[in-house]
Amino acid sequence: MTLDDTKDAAAPADDYLTRRTLRRGSAGWLLLTGLGVGYVVSGDFSGWNIGLSQGGFGGLAIATVLMGAMYACLVYALAELSAILPAAGGGYGFARRALGTWGGFLTGTAILIEYVLAPAAISIFIGDYVESLGLFGLESGWPVYLACFALFIGIHLWGVGEALRFSLVVTAIAVAALLIFAVGALTEFHADGLNDIPVDASALGSNSWLPYGLLGIWAAFPFGMWFFLGVEGVPLAAEEAKDPVRSMPKALSLSLLILVALAVLTFFAATGARGSAAIQEAGNPLVVALQGDGEPTPLSRFVNYAGLAGLVASFFSLIYAGSRQLFALSRAGYLPRFLSLTSRRKSPYLGLLIPGAIGFALAAASGNGARMLNIAVFGATISYALMALSHIVLRRREPDLPRPYRTPGGIATSTTAFVLALSALVATFLVDVTAALIALAVYAVALAYFAFYSRHHLVAAAPEEEFAALAAAEAE
């Protein structure tokens, strides 16, 4: 591995890394747990319900259980890996150690696709909420998207500690609102509303619980993921965490437990209060579940505002995740290295500004939030499969590697995550073939850049490369 002939390449390794350091010790387990829940919480307010139109109540319920199992297995595998390799690269760093430079880049690029496209999509949803609530007389459009990116990137530039505390507060508001919603909706719960979607008699295995048949379960996989999508990004904060060896596994486990509880409450309360058919296409299913076609109630109005808080929490947290993934890939030379420069406040300012500019441009140009989220899901499923594979490879190839935390079930756990991730990847083609093909095209361009240029200019002093070099030396 060599450095190229830029200013950074000519500088000593210590100087190179000094200009690319994050603020260490800024996040304890509580802030990390808030970050994990914040990544995901917007998915409880909208998006998951479209899975009802793919699989019905039974199909989406089974899909959610299977995807929840995938995330549980993946999270416990990542908890072990993050304790071994506590660097900002997260999943990319794990794959780099286990699968080499190609595996690292494939994983990092897939994660980056997820974390650049998801905030762009959520900014559109925020615009829709702002318009529907009549806030300040604003309409959904590029001024609202620009305000979102400018305001929240500005908070991130201020500093990671301040940013994560803001995220924790907004996430707590969103979670409290979901609990209040569940209490209100469950008072109107009717079991016969769960399976009120008309049955497609031509679908194999169809019945009142599976109105679209057995294939509907598979088609609902991407929407079952919306209750958990993003929680795997917690390890990206490893370099800024207090005692990451202990705090990472704890934060990942707690985040997942909270998300499972919220998923169960939201799913049953919303479908039981108004019926699956009524909310399957709704942009704000929780509000529809509370008021149907009637006049807004104080509770439905509160939940509507809280939905905006949930979107802000996920938007804000995903910007953080994308910037840290870009920072790590850039610092190691996989992407242009100027992107990993940090400010005096130890924020990767270009890693925040450039993805933000791309996300804003995509949101303003397309206005199609659903498609961008489908592209993000496609990238996510690829990264899940590769991260699970990394756990399997390291367990087999380096069984004596010190593991402060060990995944319950070992390889069987990560193998389950691997198989389910591949199943979810195929399911994305059942939902939106165009989105999957767009993601593949972006992937192909990135791989061409890596094949012809960046793999020849990696930075040996980067933490992920040092981990890999040390492993190679020990093997020899």
Side-chain angles (χ1 to χ4, degrees):
M1 292 176 287
T2 60
L3 299 174
D4 62 13
D5 296 326
T6 64
K7 178 181 177 181
D8 287 329
D14 287 345
D15 180 64
Y16 178 85
L17 294 179
T18 298
R19 299 166 63 196
R20 294 166 170 82
T21 56
L22 301 171
R23 186 187 296 175
R24 298 182 182 276
S26 299
W29 66 267
L30 180 60
L31 289 181
L32 293 173
T33 301
L35 179 66
V37 177
Y39 284 141
V40 187
V41 70
S42 66
D44 288 284
F45 285 92
S46 64
W48 62 268
N49 56 297
I50 301 174
L52 294 167
S53 66
Q54 300 288 330
F57 178 84
L60 180 57
I62 295 171
T64 301
V65 169
L66 290 173
M67 291 298 93
M70 178 189 74
Y71 276 96
C73 292
L74 181 66
V75 158
Y76 286 118
L78 292 179
E80 177 180 304
L81 294 172
S82 61
I84 297 170
L85 304 171
Y92 134 70
F94 311 148
R96 170 65 184 96
R97 175 70 177 259
L99 307 176
T101 54
W102 278 97
F105 186 78
L106 286 167
T107 306
T109 301
I111 295 171
L112 203 55
I113 290 173
E114 175 187 359
Y115 290 143
V116 171
L117 270 294
I122 293 175
S123 71
I124 296 174
F125 301 150
I126 289 175
D128 292 341
Y129 261 78
V130 168
E131 180 175 341
S132 67
L133 291 169
L135 294 178
F136 313 113
L138 293 172
E139 296 182 355
S140 182
W142 71 263
V144 176
Y145 312 154
L146 180 60
C148 289
F149 280 100
L151 175 61
F152 298 126
I153 287 177
I155 296 174
H156 278 294
L157 291 172
W158 185 16
V160 63
E162 294 81 2
L164 292 183
R165 282 190 284 272
F166 174 85
S167 177
L168 178 64
V169 171
V170 180
T171 300
I173 293 171
V175 170
L178 286 172
L179 296 176
I180 293 170
F181 158 77
V183 171
L186 287 173
T187 60
E188 301 181 23
F189 184 88
H190 300 286
D192 55 356
L194 302 179
N195 59 342
D196 62 351
I197 293 177
V199 177
D200 180 358
S202 64
L204 177 64
S206 62
N207 55 54
S208 61
W209 292 104
L210 297 173
Y212 302 106
L214 298 175
L215 189 60
I217 300 172
W218 201 6
F221 273 18
F223 302 99
M225 290 173 60
W226 283 34
F227 287 114
F228 312 100
L229 181 68
V231 67
E232 76 284 351
V234 174
L236 290 167
E239 286 187 31
E240 295 159 289
K242 297 175 183 176
D243 190 10
V245 170
R246 294 185 178 182
S247 59
M248 277 294 158
K250 184 175 183 179
L252 281 163
S253 300
L254 286 174
S255 297
L256 183 66
L257 288 174
I258 293 171
L259 292 170
V260 168
L262 293 177
V264 172
L265 284 173
T266 303
F267 188 24
F268 277 94
T271 51
R274 195 60 55 188
S276 297
I279 68 169
Q280 62 180 334
E281 299 289 350
N284 52 351
L286 306 194
V287 175
V288 172
L290 291 173
Q291 69 184 44
D293 297 326
E295 292 295 320
T297 65
L299 180 57
S300 70
R301 178 64 71 176
F302 168 75
V303 170
N304 214 347
Y305 279 102
L308 181 58
L311 289 169
V312 167
S314 292
F315 177 84
F316 190 82
S317 301
L318 290 166
I319 285 177
Y320 171 86
S323 69
R324 269 47 180 185
Q325 185 63 83
L326 185 64
F327 166 82
L329 288 169
S330 167
R331 181 176 60 182
Y334 290 82
L335 295 176
R337 283 181 283 135
F338 68 87
L339 295 173
S340 56
L341 291 169
T342 52
S343 66
R344 292 180 180 179
R345 300 187 67 87
K346 303 302 180 184
S347 293
Y349 57 95
L350 293 175
L352 287 163
L353 293 171
I354 291 180
I358 294 172
F360 165 70
L362 290 172
S366 74
N368 191 338
R371 172 145 296 164
M372 284 189 283
L373 268 185
N374 287 332
I375 296 172
V377 168
F378 184 88
T381 54
I382 292 176
S383 72
Y384 298 165
L386 291 171
M387 287 188 286
L389 182 61
S390 299
H391 181 271
I392 296 169
V393 169
L394 283 178
R395 273 293 187 100
R396 290 188 176 278
R397 194 175 66 200
E398 301 184 58
D400 298 326
L401 191 67
R403 290 175 166 84
Y405 175 89
R406 298 183 70 87
T407 302
I411 289 178
T413 299
S414 46
T415 300
T416 301
F418 179 72
V419 172
L420 288 172
L422 291 180
S423 300
L425 174 62
V426 175
T428 61
F429 285 91
L430 299 176
V431 176
D432 191 342
V433 175
T434 301
L437 293 177
I438 291 172
L440 281 176
V442 173
Y443 218 30
V445 172
L447 289 177
Y449 169 78
F450 179 69
F452 294 110
Y453 179 76
S454 69
R455 72 187 180 97
H456 304 294
H457 300 85
L458 301 182
V459 180
E464 295 82 7
E465 297 303 306
E466 284 193 331
F467 283 134
L470 179 60
E474 290 174 346
E476 292 176 3

